Amino acid sequence: MSATRVKLCVMMFLQFFIWGAWYPLIFGYLPSLGFSEWEQTLILWTFNVSAIVALFFSTQFVDRNFAAEKFLAFSHLVGGAAILALFWIRKPEGEGSAPFWPFFGLLLLHCLFYVPTISITNSIAFANLRDPQKDFGPVRLWGTIGWIAAAWPFVFILLDWAKVPAFGSLPFTDWLGKALGTPLLDPQLRSMTSYIFVVAGVASLALAAFSLVLPHTPPKPAGEATERLAWLEAVKLLRYPFLAVLFVVTFFDATVHQMYFVWTGRFLEKGVGIPGNWVTPVMSIGQVAEIGTLAVLAFALRKLGWRYTMVIGILGHAVRFAVFAFFPQAVPAILVNVLHGICYAFFFATVYMFVEEFFPKDARASAQGLFNVLILGVGPLCGTFLGNRLGTWFQTGVSPETNEPIYDFRSIFLVPAGIALAAALTLLVFFHPPQKKEAPEEEGKRSGDSPEEEGMKAPAP
């Protein structure tokens, strides 16, 4: 493996390690700071708002004005310092909540600088790989490995070390088993969860330093004025029914997907008794399954076609939430996380591939960005809002020991399960893409139609 490719793999590993370190656990951490439902919602929206800002402004601005590796270093320096500072924002003794505005402002600052770097790292990789079509997948895989690896520091950070025997007092395997069997409990567990910001911040600062040795990737020249509004052309293509249906269903699937992050951590800990230090490793089972599922995605598409592959991806959400609702025991709750691979690969990854296949060549990048607004922006915004609303609607009391809310998890999970089922049925009934797609430019020349019209002919029944 070349030195350049090794650097790109390390870059991807750290890029997604940062996100995976804080994102899965913050949903359960915020209530412990005393924030209200709306304050929690606004804090969690920072990432999704940043995704929308990145699409319409920051990513294009950076691409055209800065060397990518230098902006990556600057972004992770600022973003790393911001998220690291969140570690020190606590709820003062005797007060109702931690200070909201400093917490909100620091996380917003982190997200505004972090989210554009997701696209920037892709740009660096594409610009410096000899054969991007062949080599990008294996390089990007290290991002998924980074997300998985981010779960494991908390297995040890969230232990009750005061109860662990001194190292060397027992044979190593006995000592390790004793250590892993002494997880922290509330309220100490919730307090130590603040280390998610330390882990993410240190990784971000490490990537800032590492970015200085990445290959030089100069800024791209600005395109024509029409290119800057290319996403409007992509929006116009939604007048074709099969694309409009996919657009709407993608919104609902992204909403449901976000509700998995809003509630799964709390459910695993409070609903089925998974020790707090094992919550993120259990959730990372989904990313492990994602690797395997992506490997068979091409085979599934050949055998099932676009529609049935996507329907199975959406139904993965419905099944997972139904298992959470009706089988609240540790074993099924852990094992069903493997469906994350199907949920992601069979729907989201397939959507990106579908856009590449069915949108005209000059609108593909903008169409990908348009669907990204749903997947990373608008859908998660709604998922966070609805998820927090469900917590208010289905809170059944407060624990007298920990002062933590008690929830009716079955009722909570039946809502996203129902939405996912409705979205899958909508796609099954109304989504009928053309059975065979010919190159729009070639067909347009033969028939006299415009490339846009020919590429979006009425679908076969």
Side-chain angles (χ1 to χ4, degrees):
M1 186 182 293
S2 69
T4 295
R5 187 163 172 176
V6 170
K7 290 178 182 179
L8 297 177
C9 290
V10 173
M11 174 189 72
M12 286 295 184
F13 179 91
L14 290 172
Q15 176 70 30
F16 287 89
F17 183 100
I18 296 162
W19 190 4
W22 68 271
Y23 197 71
L25 288 181
I26 194 173
F27 297 91
Y29 176 67
L30 292 179
S32 71
L33 297 181
F35 292 131
S36 69
E37 176 197 329
W38 264 109
E39 287 174 333
Q40 292 178 54
T41 299
L42 290 172
I43 288 169
L44 296 170
W45 274 354
T46 55
F47 190 94
N48 313 121
V49 169
S50 298
I52 298 171
V53 171
L55 172 69
F56 291 110
F57 173 71
S58 52
T59 302
Q60 291 187 33
F61 178 76
V62 170
D63 275 349
R64 294 168 180 172
N65 293 279
F66 299 96
E69 77 284 359
K70 292 181 180 178
F71 186 81
L72 191 67
F74 177 75
S75 294
H76 281 295
L77 177 63
V78 176
I83 201 166
L84 187 62
L86 290 174
F87 172 75
W88 286 278
I89 298 184
R90 308 292 182 92
K91 182 170 70 170
E93 193 70 32
E95 294 192 18
S97 68
F100 167 74
W101 288 111
F103 196 103
F104 173 82
L106 285 169
L107 189 58
L108 178 62
L109 181 64
H110 168 77
C111 292
L112 285 171
F113 278 92
Y114 174 84
V115 174
T117 63
I118 299 173
S119 296
I120 291 168
T121 51
N122 288 343
S123 298
I124 293 173
F126 277 116
N128 293 281
L129 289 170
R130 291 182 180 178
D131 186 352
Q133 186 172 359
K134 175 184 174 184
D135 297 334
F136 178 74
V139 170
R140 173 58 182 80
L141 175 63
W142 281 93
T144 302
I145 296 172
W147 180 289
I148 295 168
W152 290 96
F154 300 102
V155 173
F156 300 96
I157 291 173
L158 301 179
L159 291 178
D160 191 345
W161 287 101
K163 297 179 181 178
V164 176
F167 185 75
S169 62
L170 297 172
F172 178 74
T173 53
D174 294 340
W175 176 86
L176 184 62
K178 181 67 175 177
L180 295 178
T182 56
L184 282 169
L185 302 175
D186 287 335
Q188 292 85 1
L189 171 65
R190 216 54 61 197
S191 176
M192 289 294 288
T193 302
S194 59
Y195 276 88
I196 60 177
F197 305 122
V198 175
V199 175
V202 169
S204 188
L205 295 176
L207 183 51
F210 185 77
S211 298
L212 299 177
V213 302
L214 289 172
H216 177 58
T217 308
K220 301 172 185 176
E224 298 295 327
T226 53
E227 181 187 338
R228 294 195 292 270
L229 297 177
W231 63 272
L232 289 176
E233 298 303 315
V235 170
K236 292 178 183 178
L237 297 177
L238 297 181
R239 69 182 182 272
Y240 296 96
F242 73 99
L243 290 177
V245 169
L246 182 60
F247 193 76
V248 171
V249 169
T250 299
F251 163 74
F252 284 109
D253 192 73
T255 299
V256 168
H257 183 73
Q258 179 70 3
M259 293 171 73
Y260 167 80
F261 289 104
V262 173
W263 282 108
T264 300
R266 282 179 276 184
F267 168 70
L268 292 174
E269 183 186 342
K270 303 297 184 182
V272 300
I274 303 296
N277 62 317
W278 286 100
V279 167
T280 47
V282 168
M283 292 179 69
S284 71
I285 290 172
Q287 280 69 43
V288 176
E290 176 187 319
I291 296 172
T293 310
L294 285 169
V296 302
L297 178 57
F299 174 80
L301 280 169
R302 284 197 303 270
K303 293 295 183 181
L304 302 173
W306 297 105
R307 181 166 46 140
Y308 289 110
T309 300
M310 292 182 192
V311 166
I312 291 172
I314 300 172
L315 287 177
H317 285 298
V319 172
R320 179 169 55 186
F321 286 124
V323 170
F324 286 167
F326 294 110
F327 302 96
Q329 292 89 36
V331 172
I334 292 172
L335 293 179
V336 80
N337 281 276
V338 301
L339 288 180
H340 177 89
I342 291 177
C343 295
Y344 178 82
F346 276 38
F347 188 78
F348 289 130
T350 302
V351 165
Y352 291 131
M353 294 168 66
F354 184 86
V355 168
E356 286 296 309
E357 181 73 14
F358 282 88
F359 275 78
K361 186 180 295 185
D362 59 352
R364 285 173 192 166
S366 298
Q368 294 284 14
L370 194 63
F371 275 85
N372 253 344
V373 167
L374 295 182
I375 294 170
L376 294 177
V378 179
L381 279 171
C382 295
T384 298
F385 171 75
L386 180 57
N388 284 338
R389 281 275 77 199
L390 293 177
T392 299
W393 293 337
F394 296 116
Q395 180 179 335
T396 58
V398 177
S399 169
E401 293 86 10
T402 64
N403 204 34
E404 293 267 330
I406 299 172
Y407 299 107
D408 176 4
F409 285 111
R410 173 174 292 187
S411 297
I412 287 173
F413 287 127
L414 285 178
V415 174
I419 295 172
L421 183 60
L425 290 174
T426 300
L427 198 70
L428 182 65
V429 174
F430 298 107
F431 180 65
H432 297 282
Q435 291 182 338
K436 183 178 180 181
K437 187 255 182 190
E438 298 185 23
E441 296 84 0
E442 294 295 324
E443 186 69 15
K445 291 176 183 177
R446 290 198 300 270
S447 66
D449 292 338
S450 69
E452 179 182 278
E453 291 170 343
E454 188 59 35
M456 298 298 164
K457 280 192 177 294

